Amino acid sequence: MKKTIAILLVLVIGMVGVWAATADLFVKTTVPAINEMLITTVSDNIPWVTDPVTGTQTSSYTSQRSAYASAAVVTITDTTAQSVGFLNVRTNERTGITVKVSAAALEYTVSSTLIDSINYTVGGGSNDYVVGTTAAAVDYLTISSGTTLRDAQKEVTVTLAAGAVNKTAGEYVGSITFEYIVNT
């Protein structure tokens, strides 16, 4: 009888152990980084990319074949800051982002020969970039660290240098460069 009880106890303990067993199934996913920068002519209805994996971006000022066909026009007789577009950025990077700005003088060229140039100031951001004076790119816009998708917008302005109206007659073209940097 003692053997039967002992065998039954071993069977019961063994069955409890089987029913108490656990198993783990691990699952994972990857959230892609969303790092987008877009220059638009208006401040609303930003056409963000719907597929963050491809990273394809378009801009009101760079989507055409000719880089200058869609350039923002600055009035030569206006000595105040003039709006030339809106810089839009968004990110879901935990460390945030910084956008730096630099610019090249407006140049008038004939047959690849520089005839004259006009300096100007790029404003609207955290710091101004003064063409002909500021050497390195400056911080223009920052999105702080965080854990969600965050966006920001700055109106980009240009103020022509004094005396621009007295320069050689012709069409002057320059560029403003924005550099998108993920903070470390």
Side-chain angles (χ1 to χ4, degrees):
M1 183 76 173
K2 288 184 181 182
K3 282 185 180 181
T4 305
I5 292 176
I7 291 172
L8 286 174
L9 280 175
V10 169
L11 287 173
V12 168
I13 291 171
M15 289 176 62
V16 168
V18 170
W19 293 108
T22 62
D24 294 326
L25 171 62
F26 295 98
V27 295
K28 73 176 186 176
T29 189
T30 301
V31 175
I34 297 174
N35 290 302
E36 296 177 302
M37 178 167 58
L38 190 64
I39 298 171
T40 58
T41 56
V42 294
S43 63
D44 56 353
N45 299 320
I46 309 307
W48 291 115
V49 175
T50 56
D51 183 4
V53 177
T54 64
T56 304
Q57 299 169 6
T58 59
S59 168
S60 299
Y61 294 119
T62 59
S63 60
Q64 297 183 4
R65 290 179 189 265
S66 170
Y68 307 125
S70 59
V73 177
V74 179
T75 306
I76 192 74
T77 56
D78 192 343
T79 58
T80 61
Q82 300 175 59
S83 178
V84 293
F86 294 87
L87 174 67
N88 303 276
V89 295
R90 71 178 185 166
T91 187
N92 64 348
E93 295 284 355
R94 182 185 56 78
T95 55
I97 59 109
T98 300
V99 176
K100 293 187 174 284
V101 66
S102 61
L106 297 168
E107 295 180 340
Y108 170 46
T109 58
V110 175
S111 301
S112 300
T113 302
L114 177 63
I115 304 299
D116 209 346
S117 65
I118 300 172
N119 289 335
Y120 57 97
T121 300
V122 179
S126 307
N127 297 292
D128 291 346
Y129 184 89
V130 182
V131 176
T133 303
T134 308
V138 297
D139 291 353
Y140 189 79
L141 182 151
T142 302
I143 294 182
S144 301
S145 59
T147 57
T148 61
L149 180 61
R150 297 156 333 272
D151 61 357
Q153 180 183 75
K154 293 287 183 181
E155 181 176 21
V156 182
T157 62
V158 167
T159 306
L160 296 176
V165 73
N166 298 322
K167 293 287 189 169
T168 305
E171 185 174 86
Y172 291 73
V173 178
S175 64
I176 301 171
T177 302
F178 295 100
E179 181 184 6
Y180 187 106
I181 302 166
V182 176
N183 298 337
T184 56

